[in-house]
Amino acid sequence: MQPFAMNHWYLLLVFIKLLILLTPVHPDHLANKCSDGRPNYTLDSTFDTNLHNLISTLSENGPTYGFYNSSTGESPNRVHGLVLCRGDITTSACQSCLVPAVQEVIELCPNRREAIIWYPECFIRYSDREFFGIVDINSSVLIFRADQNISQMDDRGVNFRPLMYELVEKTTVASLMYAVESESFGMLGTRYGLMQCTRDLRRDDCRKCLEGLMKDFETSVVGERGWRILGASCNIRYEDYKFYEEGLGIESPSQGGTKNVLKVALIASLSSFIGLVIMGFCIYYWRYWRKRPHTPQKDMKREPKQDSKSNEIGMQTSTSVSVANMQKGDQQKTQDFPSIDFYTLQAATNKFSIENKLGEGGFGPVYKVMEF
């Protein structure tokens, strides 16, 4: 029995090690807020079902667009929520951030009808009250960088206000309502800022949110080299090192990307339609010319007819060929009119006799052809 017991414990140890290795390691969340003083929902209730369905929808669509908001269910169990990833991260990084976020928001705020959880690169928010398009600066948290030591904390020689308030203007006009900026302070080094608003806001509301957070916490962050203001509608970060990436990000400027997806689909459909029309025309043209009978060009040079009525025929010849060209014996043929050499015409008109002249036309004199 002893070998079996040892084998049993060995397998259990291997299983535990594999479980540890396979368990994903996620960065700790920065902060969270849960609703207080409001009735909680119960497990397996309609609200609970709607919340889990909403969380699933947000986690599936958020990484694709960098931002997504949606609602699930009917009142009074309707749930509203959104997710936002930082504007410089990729789709895979957004997904890696949202996966633990959608799990922990329910664990940290069990049975709460409203909650927010912030991570370094994303955040998620849900509520039974519709909040889309409404600026919320009350549900905000100020945190300082944890690794600052005593010598680093005194940064009063740096005036961060011009940098950050210029960043407010830059963020409100940016396509994703996300912007970064930096400023050098000489011997004191360079400072870096980041601001971002949720895309359900209008641009003027984005400005109102950022300016509101700056006003509320401006005096609290003086002298600090690293801090964040985490809000429900917008976020601000300030550091003495470059913490963001430039030239990356998820290229989808609208919520859910709906407008852009429709625009791209419309352009693609229109391009395909035009391409099919052109292809169809080419095929029709090619088949038409294949079926059309081709006859070799006949020699259009005519010999003068020798019949009894030749002296009665008034042949009105309209030609733009000059007499000089005729005298050179120009024998060029055309498909519409036969080419007659000069000497034949001279003989047929009795050397262009005035007696054979019928009149004048737009292209020159007209002669009656005589028998020759």
Side-chain angles (χ1 to χ4, degrees), residues 38-202:
R38 301 185 58 200
N40 294 342
Y41 68 88
T42 56
L43 294 177
D44 299 325
S45 63
T46 303
F47 187 91
D48 183 33
T49 302
N50 291 338
L51 176 59
H52 281 82
N53 291 336
L54 174 66
I55 292 297
S56 177
T57 300
L58 296 178
S59 62
E60 289 176 3
N61 293 279
T64 304
Y65 308 109
F67 169 80
Y68 200 84
N69 64 325
S70 183
S71 302
T72 303
E74 301 294 335
S75 180
N77 296 304
R78 188 169 176 81
V79 194
H80 314 274
L82 64 78
V83 291
L84 177 68
C85 287
R86 209 172 72 186
D88 63 323
I89 67 173
T90 61
T91 299
S92 59
C94 180
Q95 184 177 24
S96 298
C97 184
L98 289 178
V99 168
V102 297
Q103 297 174 353
E104 280 200 300
V105 69
I106 297 179
E107 296 174 1
L108 296 174
C109 300
N111 306 108
R112 303 298 179 90
R113 302 179 74 88
E114 191 170 28
I116 310 175
I117 186 169
W118 292 275
Y119 277 78
E121 295 180 336
C122 68
F123 85 91
I124 180 172
R125 178 187 184 188
Y126 76 84
S127 176
D128 61 341
R129 295 179 291 191
E130 186 170 355
F131 56 86
F132 302 145
I134 301 175
V135 177
D136 183 359
I137 60 175
N138 296 320
S139 304
S140 54
V141 178
L142 171 64
I143 60 175
F144 297 102
R145 199 171 73 213
D147 63 346
Q148 296 181 117
N149 55 42
I150 300 300
S151 61
Q152 291 178 323
M153 291 183 65
D154 189 4
D155 202 31
R156 298 181 184 274
V158 173
N159 182 10
F160 64 87
R161 294 176 181 85
L163 168 65
M164 301 307 286
Y165 278 101
E166 180 182 349
L167 194 51
V168 171
E169 301 298 325
K170 187 176 179 180
T171 304
T172 55
V173 299
S175 60
L176 300 180
M177 287 193 287
Y178 160 86
V180 294
E181 191 62 84
S182 63
E183 183 178 352
S184 175
F185 292 92
M187 297 293 294
L188 298 176
T190 303
R191 301 296 181 268
Y192 303 86
L194 177 150
M195 292 186 180
Q196 185 174 20
C197 294
T198 58
R199 298 179 212 163
D200 59 312
L201 298 181
R202 298 180 302 176

Side-chain angles (χ1 to χ4, degrees), residues 317-332 339-343 345-346 352 362-365:
T317 305
S318 299
T319 176
S320 59
V321 181
S322 65
V323 175
N325 289 333
M326 291 181 180
Q327 293 175 343
K328 292 179 180 179
D330 186 2
Q331 298 296 325
Q332 182 179 359
S339 177
I340 304 174
D341 62 85
F342 174 76
Y343 299 103
L345 291 176
Q346 187 180 41
F352 302 101
F363 295 94

